[in-house]
Amino acid sequence: MAMQAEDIERLIKQRFPDATVSIDDLAGDGDHYAATVVSEAFLGKTRVEQHQMVYEALKGNIGGALHALALTTRAPS
Amino acid sequence: MTSQEDIQDWIGKQVAGNDVVLFMKGTRETPQCGFSMQVAQMLNHLGVDFKDINVLEDMGVRDGIKAYSNWPTIPQLYVKGEFVGGCDIVREMFQAGELQGLLDAKGIAHNAQTLTA
């Protein structure tokens, strides 16, 4: 069961209301996406912590419905 | 491997017992996944000696490592017992020269000349 880009964006925005989110479907199969998330919530967090926050927002879909999400996160500059 | 406890214990020993450990799909010579291959290639490019652990050989380890680090995907890179990241983070660090800096800071030999201005 693949995921749609809108589902990913909705879950991320629920967790990070201020975030700007851009999502690219890398393979057109609903399984390989690249996402960039910019949010104040990342301020002072390590990259690992930032990515863990996004994975938590995606409620366990990572590694299951969503095989791969190439993730880039940063706080607004 | 049997119980979850044994698995977490075994993982802990690998992470503590080796300077650089890469939990990956496949081996450094024959990676079975593009993301795992990318991290192995970066380490090979830097001439870093690392222990590769093929999670495809044991489902217990494949799931156990995700619980160990609270990180849902493979590959996972560890340096001196610390979780560094998956493919995205290691690539970002590599491109920013931060991976080389981390290796220097941890006293791990590699062949990248530190970029001097």
XYZ file of all heavy atoms in Angstrom, chain B residues 37-117:
622
model
N 24.341 1.102 -0.474
C 25.514 1.193 -1.363
C 26.134 2.583 -1.288
O 27.358 2.729 -1.200
C 25.090 0.894 -2.800
C 26.244 0.919 -3.789
S 25.689 0.439 -5.430
C 24.641 1.851 -5.817
N 25.277 3.629 -1.271
C 25.796 5.001 -1.242
C 26.667 5.241 -0.009
O 27.745 5.813 -0.094
C 24.629 6.003 -1.230
C 24.023 6.268 -2.589
C 22.884 7.282 -2.492
O 23.054 8.344 -1.892
N 21.733 6.934 -3.042
N 26.190 4.795 1.157
C 26.964 5.046 2.384
C 28.254 4.231 2.348
O 29.332 4.750 2.656
C 26.134 4.717 3.638
C 26.985 4.907 4.904
C 24.898 5.612 3.714
N 28.168 2.982 1.906
C 29.388 2.161 1.817
C 30.392 2.814 0.869
O 31.586 2.889 1.155
C 29.035 0.752 1.339
N 29.895 3.369 -0.241
C 30.788 4.025 -1.209
C 31.471 5.247 -0.597
O 32.662 5.484 -0.810
C 29.993 4.439 -2.450
C 29.814 3.323 -3.457
C 28.900 3.717 -4.609
O 28.204 4.750 -4.561
N 28.871 2.886 -5.642
N 30.721 6.024 0.179
C 31.308 7.219 0.797
C 32.423 6.804 1.757
O 33.505 7.404 1.764
C 30.234 8.012 1.539
C 29.348 8.824 0.617
S 28.162 9.818 1.525
C 26.685 8.847 1.346
N 32.169 5.765 2.538
C 33.186 5.299 3.493
C 34.400 4.753 2.735
O 35.539 5.044 3.098
C 32.590 4.237 4.417
C 31.489 4.730 5.350
C 30.860 3.544 6.094
C 31.996 5.767 6.339
N 34.151 4.007 1.668
C 35.273 3.489 0.866
C 36.058 4.635 0.242
O 37.287 4.645 0.233
C 34.756 2.540 -0.226
C 34.234 1.240 0.347
O 34.715 0.785 1.381
N 33.211 0.662 -0.278
N 35.317 5.649 -0.233
C 35.958 6.824 -0.862
C 36.873 7.515 0.140
O 37.969 7.976 -0.207
C 34.885 7.792 -1.357
C 35.432 9.064 -1.923
N 35.945 9.148 -3.206
C 35.593 10.293 -1.369
C 36.387 10.393 -3.403
N 36.180 11.108 -2.308
N 36.436 7.564 1.391
C 37.241 8.221 2.433
C 38.321 7.287 2.983
O 39.125 7.690 3.820
C 36.331 8.686 3.581
C 35.401 9.862 3.274
C 34.482 10.123 4.463
C 36.206 11.104 2.945
N 38.311 6.030 2.521
C 39.319 5.077 2.991
C 39.133 4.716 4.448
O 40.089 4.436 5.170
N 37.867 4.746 4.898
C 37.583 4.443 6.310
C 37.394 2.928 6.462
O 36.671 2.306 5.671
C 36.277 5.155 6.762
C 35.892 4.723 8.171
C 36.446 6.657 6.686
N 38.056 2.364 7.461
C 37.857 0.939 7.736
C 36.576 0.794 8.531
O 36.393 1.484 9.554
C 39.056 0.407 8.546
C 38.947 -1.104 8.720
O 38.296 -1.749 7.856
O 39.460 -1.626 9.715
N 35.643 0.001 8.077
C 34.386 -0.138 8.819
C 33.909 -1.581 8.804
O 34.251 -2.358 7.897
C 33.308 0.792 8.255
C 32.816 0.464 6.877
C 31.635 -0.253 6.676
C 33.514 0.889 5.746
C 31.174 -0.544 5.401
C 33.060 0.607 4.465
C 31.886 -0.108 4.289
N 33.114 -1.903 9.829
C 32.507 -3.232 9.894
C 31.133 -3.143 9.251
O 30.331 -2.276 9.616
C 32.362 -3.663 11.354
C 31.515 -4.940 11.488
C 31.782 -5.698 12.769
C 30.966 -7.009 12.703
N 31.483 -8.017 13.608
N 30.888 -3.986 8.244
C 29.547 -4.003 7.626
C 28.746 -5.168 8.221
O 29.265 -6.275 8.378
C 29.665 -4.142 6.111
C 30.493 -5.363 5.689
O 31.297 -5.864 6.518
O 30.333 -5.824 4.558
N 27.515 -4.876 8.567
C 26.625 -5.905 9.122
C 25.416 -6.005 8.210
O 24.694 -5.022 8.007
C 26.211 -5.569 10.568
C 27.450 -5.646 11.476
C 25.118 -6.521 11.059
C 27.207 -5.250 12.913
N 25.244 -7.163 7.608
C 24.170 -7.362 6.628
C 22.877 -7.723 7.359
O 22.695 -8.865 7.804
C 24.572 -8.484 5.651
C 23.499 -8.712 4.585
O 22.468 -8.022 4.575
N 23.741 -9.664 3.715
N 21.968 -6.769 7.450
C 20.732 -7.010 8.220
C 19.804 -7.985 7.506
O 18.870 -8.514 8.101
C 19.972 -5.685 8.506
C 20.856 -4.715 9.270
C 19.455 -5.054 7.223
N 20.087 -8.247 6.238
C 19.218 -9.178 5.508
C 19.427 -10.622 5.963
O 18.621 -11.499 5.678
C 19.473 -9.062 3.992
C 19.175 -7.708 3.367
C 19.505 -7.715 1.873
C 17.728 -7.287 3.593
N 20.530 -10.830 6.691
C 20.821 -12.194 7.159
C 20.026 -12.570 8.394
O 19.951 -13.745 8.772
C 22.323 -12.327 7.458
C 23.162 -12.422 6.194
C 24.653 -12.383 6.506
O 25.008 -12.295 7.711
O 25.447 -12.401 5.551
N 19.427 -11.566 9.058
C 18.720 -11.888 10.321
C 17.624 -10.852 10.544
O 17.903 -9.693 10.850
C 19.737 -11.863 11.479
C 19.085 -12.266 12.806
O 17.868 -11.967 12.983
O 19.758 -12.850 13.661
N 16.357 -11.275 10.365
C 15.221 -10.365 10.512
C 15.204 -9.727 11.905
O 14.811 -8.580 12.069
C 13.895 -11.113 10.275
C 13.503 -11.226 8.823
S 13.564 -9.634 7.942
C 12.024 -8.880 8.481
N 15.678 -10.496 12.880
C 15.708 -9.974 14.250
C 16.593 -8.736 14.337
O 16.234 -7.730 14.941
N 17.762 -8.802 13.658
C 18.683 -7.657 13.667
C 18.103 -6.520 12.830
O 18.168 -5.350 13.188
C 20.079 -8.077 13.128
C 20.990 -6.870 12.958
C 20.716 -9.096 14.069
N 17.475 -6.899 11.725
C 16.907 -5.892 10.821
C 15.872 -5.040 11.549
O 15.853 -3.813 11.407
C 16.252 -6.581 9.625
C 15.645 -5.587 8.627
C 15.132 -6.298 7.398
N 14.587 -5.353 6.422
C 14.211 -5.713 5.195
N 14.348 -6.973 4.803
N 13.726 -4.814 4.351
N 15.046 -5.678 12.383
C 14.055 -4.903 13.147
C 14.666 -4.344 14.431
O 14.377 -3.222 14.836
C 12.853 -5.797 13.476
C 12.091 -6.153 12.195
O 12.114 -5.328 11.247
O 11.528 -7.262 12.121
N 15.566 -5.144 15.015
C 16.156 -4.746 16.302
C 16.941 -3.448 16.206
O 16.890 -2.608 17.114
N 17.637 -3.252 15.079
C 18.466 -2.034 14.936
C 17.578 -0.797 14.856
O 17.937 0.285 15.317
C 19.404 -2.145 13.710
C 20.446 -1.025 13.713
C 18.621 -2.129 12.391
C 21.397 -1.083 14.872
N 16.380 -0.966 14.338
C 15.459 0.178 14.236
C 14.980 0.592 15.617
O 14.827 1.796 15.904
C 14.278 -0.173 13.330
C 14.708 -0.413 11.880
C 13.556 -0.895 11.010
C 14.036 -1.224 9.595
N 12.970 -1.797 8.750
N 14.781 -0.418 16.493
C 14.378 -0.107 17.870
C 15.568 0.470 18.628
O 15.437 1.439 19.393
C 13.885 -1.377 18.549
N 16.749 -0.068 18.347
C 17.958 0.329 19.085
C 18.211 1.836 18.950
O 18.555 2.541 19.879
C 19.157 -0.464 18.542
C 20.469 -0.190 19.231
C 20.793 -0.830 20.421
C 21.385 0.724 18.697
C 21.995 -0.575 21.067
C 22.580 0.988 19.332
C 22.885 0.332 20.510
O 24.078 0.601 21.140
N 17.991 2.339 17.724
C 18.333 3.754 17.459
C 17.098 4.637 17.351
O 17.214 5.847 17.136
C 19.079 3.832 16.129
O 18.246 3.256 15.124
N 15.904 4.019 17.430
C 14.653 4.756 17.168
C 14.739 5.446 15.799
O 14.511 6.644 15.633
C 14.401 5.822 18.267
C 13.096 6.588 18.019
O 12.154 6.015 17.441
N 13.046 7.866 18.406
N 15.165 4.587 14.823
C 15.327 5.099 13.440
C 14.733 4.046 12.525
O 15.104 2.881 12.585
C 16.816 5.326 13.162
C 17.075 6.030 11.877
C 17.385 5.460 10.678
C 17.043 7.444 11.675
N 17.537 6.445 9.728
C 17.334 7.671 10.324
C 16.794 8.531 12.509
C 17.388 8.946 9.777
C 16.841 9.802 11.966
C 17.138 10.008 10.622
N 13.776 4.401 11.665
C 12.969 3.385 10.979
C 13.573 2.761 9.741
O 12.925 1.906 9.121
C 11.704 4.177 10.602
C 12.202 5.565 10.391
C 13.335 5.761 11.357
N 14.752 3.215 9.312
C 15.223 2.690 8.027
C 16.653 2.176 8.121
O 17.375 2.428 9.088
C 15.173 3.807 6.945
O 15.979 4.902 7.412
C 13.769 4.280 6.679
N 17.038 1.476 7.065
C 18.408 0.960 6.888
C 18.928 1.645 5.644
O 18.152 1.814 4.705
C 18.355 -0.576 6.627
C 17.626 -1.311 7.748
C 19.750 -1.144 6.420
C 18.315 -1.376 9.060
N 20.200 2.076 5.548
C 21.329 1.782 6.421
C 21.366 2.672 7.659
O 20.678 3.676 7.719
C 22.520 2.072 5.511
C 22.050 3.199 4.627
C 20.604 2.882 4.360
N 22.188 2.254 8.612
C 22.442 3.060 9.803
C 23.945 3.045 10.091
O 24.533 1.985 10.204
C 21.675 2.510 11.007
C 20.165 2.636 10.854
C 19.415 2.245 12.109
O 19.980 2.192 13.200
N 18.124 1.970 11.966
N 24.516 4.265 10.211
C 25.958 4.378 10.445
C 26.232 4.748 11.906
O 25.580 5.644 12.446
C 26.559 5.458 9.534
C 28.077 5.695 9.682
C 28.869 4.443 9.288
C 28.514 6.897 8.851
N 27.174 4.057 12.513
C 27.599 4.337 13.888
C 29.100 4.622 13.901
O 29.874 3.900 13.253
C 27.302 3.143 14.797
C 25.835 2.882 14.990
C 25.079 2.256 14.007
C 25.185 3.314 16.146
C 23.718 2.062 14.163
C 23.813 3.120 16.318
C 23.095 2.491 15.320
O 21.731 2.307 15.472
N 29.479 5.688 14.618
C 30.899 6.004 14.771
C 31.187 6.125 16.268
O 30.527 6.908 16.961
C 31.252 7.325 14.035
C 32.684 7.759 14.364
C 31.082 7.168 12.524
N 32.123 5.322 16.739
C 32.500 5.301 18.165
C 31.247 5.197 19.043
O 31.088 5.961 19.985
C 33.288 6.576 18.493
C 34.680 6.596 17.872
C 35.718 5.946 18.788
C 37.116 6.116 18.231
N 38.133 5.568 19.118
N 30.368 4.263 18.676
C 29.217 3.979 19.521
C 28.059 4.931 19.340
O 26.985 4.731 19.915
N 28.221 5.989 18.510
C 27.120 6.965 18.359
C 26.448 6.817 17.007
O 27.129 6.669 15.983
C 27.680 8.384 18.447
C 27.699 8.968 19.853
C 28.443 10.296 19.847
O 28.012 11.184 19.080
O 29.459 10.394 20.566
N 25.110 6.882 17.003
C 24.363 6.832 15.751
C 24.563 8.144 15.005
O 24.297 9.221 15.539
C 22.880 6.620 16.045
C 22.012 6.653 14.815
C 22.267 5.801 13.734
C 20.955 7.543 14.712
C 21.482 5.838 12.597
C 20.155 7.584 13.585
C 20.425 6.719 12.521
N 25.089 8.070 13.781
C 25.357 9.269 12.984
C 24.175 9.605 12.102
O 23.768 10.743 11.986
C 26.629 9.064 12.120
C 26.879 10.257 11.199
C 27.834 8.814 13.025
N 23.601 8.586 11.464
C 22.428 8.839 10.617
C 22.243 7.763 9.577
O 22.966 6.773 9.519
N 21.212 8.000 8.746
C 20.982 7.124 7.611
C 21.610 7.730 6.381
O 22.421 8.646 6.469
N 21.169 7.282 5.218
C 21.812 7.699 3.956
C 21.737 9.221 3.762
O 22.737 9.864 3.438
C 21.145 6.986 2.791
S 21.955 7.347 1.225
N 20.582 9.819 3.991
C 20.423 11.257 3.744
C 21.402 12.075 4.570
O 22.109 12.941 4.060
C 19.007 11.731 4.144
C 17.935 11.033 3.362
O 18.232 10.584 2.237
O 16.830 10.906 3.884
N 21.412 11.778 5.876
C 22.228 12.589 6.784
C 23.710 12.376 6.488
O 24.481 13.336 6.405
C 21.880 12.256 8.246
C 20.513 12.851 8.594
C 22.958 12.759 9.197
C 20.009 12.520 9.972
N 24.115 11.119 6.255
C 25.540 10.866 5.993
C 25.951 11.561 4.701
O 27.015 12.179 4.618
C 25.831 9.354 5.928
C 27.265 9.078 5.499
C 25.565 8.714 7.287
N 25.064 11.541 3.692
C 25.410 12.211 2.428
C 25.526 13.722 2.635
O 26.473 14.364 2.186
C 24.357 11.915 1.350
C 24.790 12.428 -0.031
C 23.691 12.399 -1.061
N 22.864 11.225 -0.927
C 21.547 11.269 -0.665
N 20.958 12.432 -0.486
N 20.832 10.171 -0.570
N 24.566 14.296 3.381
C 24.589 15.745 3.662
C 25.889 16.106 4.384
O 26.558 17.079 4.046
C 23.392 16.085 4.561
C 22.488 17.189 4.040
C 21.296 17.435 4.974
O 20.400 16.572 5.068
O 21.305 18.481 5.644
N 26.264 15.283 5.375
C 27.482 15.544 6.147
C 28.708 15.403 5.258
O 29.637 16.210 5.313
C 27.565 14.567 7.329
C 26.535 14.806 8.400
S 26.639 13.552 9.696
C 28.179 14.022 10.486
N 28.694 14.362 4.401
C 29.831 14.119 3.502
C 30.036 15.323 2.585
O 31.139 15.846 2.455
C 29.562 12.855 2.689
C 30.622 12.520 1.659
C 31.839 11.993 2.038
C 30.394 12.755 0.301
C 32.819 11.697 1.098
C 31.356 12.462 -0.638
C 32.571 11.927 -0.245
N 28.936 15.804 2.005
C 29.026 16.927 1.052
C 29.460 18.220 1.751
O 30.128 19.066 1.159
C 27.674 17.118 0.352
C 27.402 16.011 -0.665
C 25.952 15.944 -1.125
O 25.068 16.588 -0.526
N 25.688 15.148 -2.141
N 29.112 18.332 3.042
C 29.467 19.566 3.784
C 30.831 19.424 4.456
O 31.294 20.342 5.125
C 28.400 19.835 4.838
N 31.478 18.257 4.289
C 32.791 18.035 4.913
C 32.672 17.718 6.397
O 33.656 17.560 7.109
N 31.404 17.592 6.887
C 31.203 17.357 8.324
C 31.548 15.916 8.703
O 31.960 15.626 9.818
C 29.740 17.639 8.697
C 29.402 19.107 8.727
C 27.897 19.332 8.940
O 27.245 18.425 9.504
O 27.400 20.383 8.512
N 31.354 14.983 7.748
C 31.678 13.580 8.055
C 33.181 13.454 8.293
O 33.627 12.835 9.252
C 31.236 12.679 6.892
C 31.379 11.182 7.103
C 30.600 10.709 8.335
C 30.897 10.410 5.866
N 33.948 14.116 7.431
C 35.414 14.102 7.602
C 35.787 14.730 8.951
O 36.620 14.225 9.688
C 36.075 14.881 6.458
C 35.854 14.292 5.077
C 34.511 14.660 4.433
O 33.504 14.847 5.124
N 34.494 14.765 3.113
N 35.090 15.833 9.291
C 35.347 16.503 10.575
C 35.044 15.597 11.751
O 35.796 15.535 12.738
N 33.932 14.840 11.648
C 33.549 13.926 12.729
C 34.617 12.839 12.888
O 35.042 12.521 14.001
C 32.196 13.279 12.407
C 31.736 12.169 13.365
C 31.370 12.755 14.731
C 30.546 11.407 12.795
N 35.079 12.296 11.759
C 36.099 11.249 11.812
C 37.381 11.781 12.459
O 37.993 11.140 13.309
C 36.379 10.716 10.402
C 35.216 9.984 9.735
C 35.486 9.775 8.246
C 34.916 8.665 10.424
N 37.743 13.011 12.066
C 38.928 13.633 12.690
C 38.722 13.746 14.195
O 39.574 13.339 14.996
C 39.157 15.044 12.120
C 39.683 14.998 10.684
O 40.277 13.958 10.316
O 39.465 15.978 9.941
N 37.542 14.273 14.565
C 37.262 14.519 15.990
C 37.306 13.212 16.792
O 37.715 13.193 17.956
C 35.889 15.169 16.138
N 36.932 12.110 16.146
C 36.904 10.829 16.860
C 38.204 10.043 16.670
O 38.312 8.900 17.085
C 35.720 9.981 16.355
C 34.363 10.654 16.508
C 33.867 10.604 17.945
C 32.478 11.201 18.057
N 31.969 11.204 19.443
N 39.153 10.675 15.962
C 40.459 10.034 15.790
C 40.423 8.808 14.909
O 41.136 7.829 15.135
N 39.592 8.877 13.868
C 39.467 7.719 12.967
C 40.170 8.030 11.647
O 39.897 9.076 11.023
C 37.988 7.374 12.741
C 37.424 6.829 14.060
C 37.820 6.355 11.623
C 35.953 6.695 14.100
N 41.063 7.151 11.253
C 41.872 7.400 10.059
C 41.004 7.436 8.817
O 40.071 6.652 8.670
C 42.915 6.289 9.917
N 41.279 8.414 7.958
C 40.627 8.445 6.639
C 41.562 9.204 5.716
O 42.541 9.808 6.169
C 39.258 9.124 6.740
C 39.313 10.564 7.152
N 39.443 11.591 6.259
C 39.293 11.143 8.376
C 39.479 12.747 6.915
N 39.398 12.508 8.198
N 41.292 9.153 4.399
C 42.285 9.729 3.492
C 41.891 11.085 2.947
O 42.490 11.594 2.027
C 42.536 8.757 2.325
C 41.226 8.526 1.576
O 40.269 9.284 1.743
N 41.173 7.458 0.791
N 40.799 11.689 3.488
C 40.390 12.985 2.923
C 41.276 14.068 3.514
O 41.393 14.181 4.721
C 38.934 13.264 3.266
N 41.896 14.874 2.607
C 42.679 15.994 3.130
C 41.671 17.000 3.672
O 40.684 17.281 3.020
C 43.479 16.664 2.016
C 44.418 15.736 1.281
C 43.693 14.801 0.352
O 42.515 15.010 0.027
N 44.360 13.721 -0.025
N 41.919 17.531 4.860
C 40.966 18.539 5.360
C 41.085 19.744 4.435
O 42.159 20.144 4.042
C 41.317 18.952 6.806
O 42.740 19.041 6.875
C 40.832 17.908 7.801
N 39.922 20.261 4.048
C 39.894 21.356 3.065
C 40.487 22.602 3.714
O 39.993 23.062 4.737
C 38.445 21.622 2.651
C 37.653 20.347 2.241
C 36.188 20.671 1.993
C 38.300 19.731 1.014
N 41.543 23.105 3.148
C 42.120 24.329 3.741
C 41.767 25.498 2.826
O 41.692 25.343 1.613
C 43.662 24.195 3.824
O 44.087 23.694 2.538
C 44.070 23.187 4.900
N 41.573 26.617 3.436
C 41.124 27.794 2.649
C 42.242 28.200 1.686
O 43.390 27.899 1.917
C 40.816 28.924 3.610
